[in-house]
Amino acid sequence: MSAVQTFFLQGSVSTLRSPHSSVTSCRKVSVKFTVSCCSAASPMTVVNGNVDNRPSDRSEVRLGLPSKGRMAADSLDLLKDCQLSVRQVNPRQYVAEIPQISNLEVWFQRPKDIVRKLVSGDLDLGIVGLDTVCEYGQGDKDLIIVHDALEYGDCRLSLAIPKYGIFENVNSMKELAEMPQWTPERPLRVATGFTYMGPKFMKENGLKHVTFSTADGALEAAPAMGIADAIVDLVSSGTTLRENNLKEIEGGVIVQSQAVLVAGRKSLMQRKGVLDITHEMLERLEAHLRAVGQFTVTANMRGSSAEEVAERILSQTSLSGLQGPTISPVFCKRDGRVTADYFAIVICVPKKALYKSVQQLRAIGGSGVLISPLTYIFDEETPRWRQLLSTLGL
Ligand SMILES: Nc1ncnc2c1ncn2[C@@H]1O[C@H](COP(=O)(O)OP(=O)(O)OP(=O)(O)O)[C@@H](O)[C@H]1O
Ligand SMILES: O=P(O)(O)OC[C@H]1O[C@H](OP(=O)(O)OP(=O)(O)O)[C@H](O)[C@@H]1O
Ligand SMILES: [Mg+2]
């Protein structure tokens, strides 16, 4: 460990004025740490999760899901939409199952513990926000993001400063770093719950004289209370910052976050069944997320041939579908002869363009327009699966 450390205090740091308070090193916040007991000769080791990182001999595959907070319900909803409903006998029980996938245990944990347990090997897969992976994974190369965009939990980890006082004309990280106010005796005081990402970011941005304090919530109050000059916290709509007279600045976004599916490299490579379950989950997630926001539109259209109908459809900007329209003749018997005066067309249309598509279909002679939501769009190959295999060197 280097001589100069980053200090984290709970609450005010106004009494801390030593040169040690400047950020010159970015110490890993301990997943494993040692505390002195009564006798200095017998240290006690406290570990989050698996004590000595020995691979356990369990045969079940374990998926960690957030037990509380805003990610919990959305994670269950997403899995349900992928026909992977989690069956939990009662809400205080922390283990559950997904009947469609045998040999999979679902464990409900706090998001930060999901990441820690992926690192320790006590979980194999997990769903959490990318911010939590960055903060508690601390750049661990064995944490692999299998799906990076589950499309909920959107937020960003940002640095914010007051709109007023000495910060009134400060609008970028460069300007913040160049402020003459920050000295070893009077460093920039930052309040954050992100005690790994916060110091790392400040160091990367060349801020030399910085101290950090930490609290468990309502960090936006710290500047007005005189406890901090700036904060590093999650921002989504920006309302909390605005209500507290704080602003984000150029270059101050540390991580753009949303829910992700993460796995441990060792689990993927060594534990039987993990790779297969990951493949199935990835296929369902990708196919479902592709289908969200798309509708299938079917309609009838009079025409002399399938090609002639196709030309009419493709002349319209909103009707090209995923790979072009599917057109099938609708046969009927007229005067004893089987003819195809009508064609049935099927296209996929993005939700946003739905009404425009219906208007365009009608304009070129479409009738009997039926619209149904899509559950899955399976492609020939799952791009993220190929990416995962290449990351694993398989
Ligand atoms: N305002 C927000 N809008 C959208 N997503 C958010 C927001 N705040 C946090 N998140 C995302 O949801 C995750 C969980 O946040 P949540 O607030 O539920 O738990 P927490 O802050 O870690 O715990 P707690 O608030 O109970 O102490 C975050 O890691 C982040 O990815
Ligand atoms: O940009 P906004 O949409 O206003 O959201 C940002 C706020 O949401 C989170 O707090 P949360 O609601 O989780 O409360 P907490 O501080 O108790 O975690 C985050 O810590 C911000 O305070
Ligand atoms: Mg929160």
Side-chain angles (χ1 to χ4, degrees), residues 3 6 33 42 50 128 157 165 179 195 211-212 223 248 254 266 290 310:
T6 306
F33 58 94
S42 57
N50 195 334
V128 287
L157 180 63
M179 285 174 77
T195 55
T211 54
F212 292 87
E248 293 178 274
I254 303 167
K266 284 198 196 88
R290 264 206 86 187

Side-chain angles (χ1 to χ4, degrees), residues 161-182:
I161 53 174
K163 288 179 184 165
Y164 48 85
I166 55 168
F167 297 103
E168 198 174 343
N169 296 315
V170 176
N171 291 306
S172 68
M173 283 303 291
K174 187 167 175 288
E175 287 166 4
L176 181 67
E178 285 168 1
M179 285 174 77
Q181 281 86 349
W182 319 130

Side-chain angles (χ1 to χ4, degrees), residues 13-61:
V13 291
S14 54
T15 51
L16 188 66
R17 288 287 178 265
S18 92
H20 291 277
S21 52
S22 60
V23 176
T24 55
S25 94
C26 213
R27 181 171 60 99
K28 275 198 170 193
V29 179
S30 49
V31 164
K32 182 172 181 172
F33 58 94
T34 305
V35 284
S36 298
C37 190
C38 325
S39 137
S42 57
M44 246 191 323
T45 302
V46 181
V47 186
N48 188 301
N50 195 334
V51 175
D52 49 11
N53 264 334
R54 250 181 306 153
S56 71
D57 49 11
R58 65 185 156 86
S59 60
E60 300 79 18
V61 175

Side-chain angles (χ1 to χ4, degrees), residues 173-342:
M173 283 303 291
K174 187 167 175 288
E175 287 166 4
L176 181 67
E178 285 168 1
M179 285 174 77
Q181 281 86 349
W182 319 130
T183 64
E185 293 72 36
R186 195 345 185 156
L188 175 75
R189 299 164 307 157
V190 181
T192 187
F194 289 78
T195 55
Y196 172 74
M197 293 298 283
K200 182 170 177 285
F201 178 72
M202 298 306 254
K203 194 180 173 203
E204 283 164 3
N205 275 274
L207 276 114
K208 292 197 179 63
H209 310 300
V210 189
T211 54
F212 292 87
S213 61
T214 187
D216 290 334
L219 286 166
E220 289 86 350
M225 290 175 81
I227 295 169
D229 304 303
I231 64 163
V232 165
D233 196 13
L234 296 172
V235 182
S236 179
S237 63
T239 309
T240 316
L241 288 187
R242 233 179 357 263
E243 296 296 324
N244 287 282
N245 258 315
L246 300 173
K247 63 181 178 188
E248 293 178 274
I249 55 178
E250 197 194 318
V253 175
I254 303 167
V255 180
Q256 279 288 354
S257 181
Q258 61 176 296
V260 297
L261 174 66
V262 206
R265 183 187 291 270
K266 284 198 196 88
S267 293
L268 288 165
M269 298 295 286
Q270 293 166 11
R271 191 175 298 289
K272 194 165 167 282
V274 177
L275 210 51
D276 286 345
I277 288 176
T278 306
H279 187 216
E280 177 167 352
M281 288 187 68
L282 199 47
E283 286 248 63
R284 286 178 182 259
L285 288 166
E286 282 212 340
H288 166 70
L289 292 169
R290 264 206 86 187
V292 169
Q294 299 263 356
F295 282 111
T296 320
V297 175
T298 57
N300 287 334
M301 202 172 288
R302 208 180 259 285
S304 54
S305 69
E307 286 75 13
E308 184 266 322
V309 171
E311 269 187 31
R312 254 189 287 157
I313 293 170
L314 291 171
S315 69
Q316 303 293 319
T317 49
S318 299
L319 301 180
S320 55
L322 286 180
Q323 258 115 29
T326 306
I327 302 172
S328 337
V330 178
F331 295 102
C332 54
K333 209 167 181 182
R334 190 168 309 144
D335 304 331
R337 273 183 52 225
V338 175
T339 58
D341 296 341
Y342 272 98

